[in-house]
Amino acid sequence: MKRPDKKNIVIFASGSGSNAQRLLEHFEHHPEIRVAALFSNNPKAYALKRAETYHVPALLFSRDEFYNSEKVLEQVKSFHPDLIVLAGFLWLVPQNFLHTFPNKIINIHPALLPRYGGKGMHGINVHTAVVQAGDKQSGITIHHVNAEYDKGEFILQEYCPVLPEDTPEELAARVLQLEHKHLPEVVEKLLLEKDEL
Ligand code: GRF
């Protein structure tokens, strides 16, 4: 009997792509799920190289193509995504994507939303704000994506301590470990447990 085709993940990443790497590793030999493509807005994104290493198509696009044409949408559609994962992707997702893939786009954010989210709250800025506020804990939020930065419905939050002597970089490393642990698990669970996300 013919096996049903695998479910497809499409990743969007703007930078280093260590979370993308975790997805590429985790699903490389998975019987039911594959990473079908990685898209980036940044020609210098190391994430593109990571995809190529796993023989996953790596596609670069411009701001104009993303916001003023259907080109990127059509390219993404050609990979038949069951889930689109924003893994360190810094641009707001346009309406045509939200309409075409309702409930199928998720993001990982390196803090406990709704605090420390929104425009400009990415990378080390997030961890600097958490350390400066004197918070005792931080963590990650994996959430659905809507038309506003970091505002969609939560899927998972996980916590880690902020130590009194932490620098933003030390906190960032601790939070990144949490991201690497949970992102592949959440993606797998979403794809295997629900036919329609
Ligand atoms: C991660 O902290 C992620 O939560 C955030 O951007 C960072 C990306 O790291 N959205 P990497 O590119 O996956 O290494």
Side-chain angles (χ1 to χ4, degrees):
M1 203 174 83
K2 190 173 176 288
R3 285 170 69 96
D5 198 15
K6 292 187 184 185
K7 300 218 168 168
N8 293 311
I9 301 166
V10 167
I11 302 173
F12 276 70
S14 300
S16 159
S18 69
N19 279 292
Q21 168 89 29
R22 288 289 297 117
L23 295 173
L24 289 160
E25 284 164 12
H26 186 86
F27 294 108
E28 187 182 11
H29 301 297
H30 196 285
E32 293 171 72
I33 300 169
R34 69 162 78 85
V35 177
L38 182 143
F39 284 73
S40 184
N41 60 313
N42 176 6
K44 294 192 184 133
Y46 190 59
L48 290 162
K49 295 239 168 16
R50 297 188 195 262
E52 282 162 11
T53 303
Y54 283 80
H55 309 290
V56 165
L59 293 92
L60 183 65
F61 60 88
S62 69
R63 180 173 283 278
D64 194 46
E65 287 166 342
F66 196 44
Y67 290 111
N68 299 325
S69 83
E70 299 287 301
K71 179 176 172 184
V72 187
L73 181 70
E74 291 304 321
Q75 283 177 328
V76 170
K77 272 165 122 179
S78 75
F79 292 103
H80 304 288
D82 296 284
L83 193 66
I84 296 174
V85 181
L86 311 186
F89 181 63
L90 297 182
W91 289 357
L92 206 56
V93 174
Q95 284 295 339
N96 58 352
F97 272 78
L98 299 173
H99 286 139
T100 308
F101 305 111
N103 246 4
K104 284 191 181 175
I105 311 177
I106 68 169
N107 180 46
I108 181 158
H109 187 78
L112 297 171
L113 294 173
R115 300 190 73 200
Y116 310 112
K119 194 167 166 56
M121 270 295 170
H122 56 78
I124 203 69
N125 299 351
V126 175
H127 307 293
T128 302
V130 172
V131 166
Q132 281 178 356
D135 290 2
K136 299 278 184 293
Q137 60 178 9
S138 188
I140 64 169
T141 307
I142 299 174
H143 63 93
H144 288 284
V145 168
N146 64 16
E148 291 179 88
Y149 281 113
D150 304 322
K151 286 279 174 68
E153 186 192 338
F154 294 176
I155 299 165
L156 175 92
Q157 289 196 305
E158 288 288 335
Y159 301 78
C160 66
V162 182
L163 304 179
E165 65 280 11
D166 267 348
T167 62
E169 288 74 17
E170 286 164 338
L171 177 59
R174 194 174 307 120
V175 171
L176 196 61
Q177 279 187 357
L178 268 189
E179 298 185 51
H180 291 171
K181 175 168 191 287
H182 291 286
L183 184 62
E185 288 175 8
V186 167
V187 167
E188 180 164 351
K189 208 164 158 210
L190 285 171
L191 285 168
L192 295 184
E193 284 186 357
K194 293 187 186 178
D195 285 338
E196 282 301 318
L197 294 173

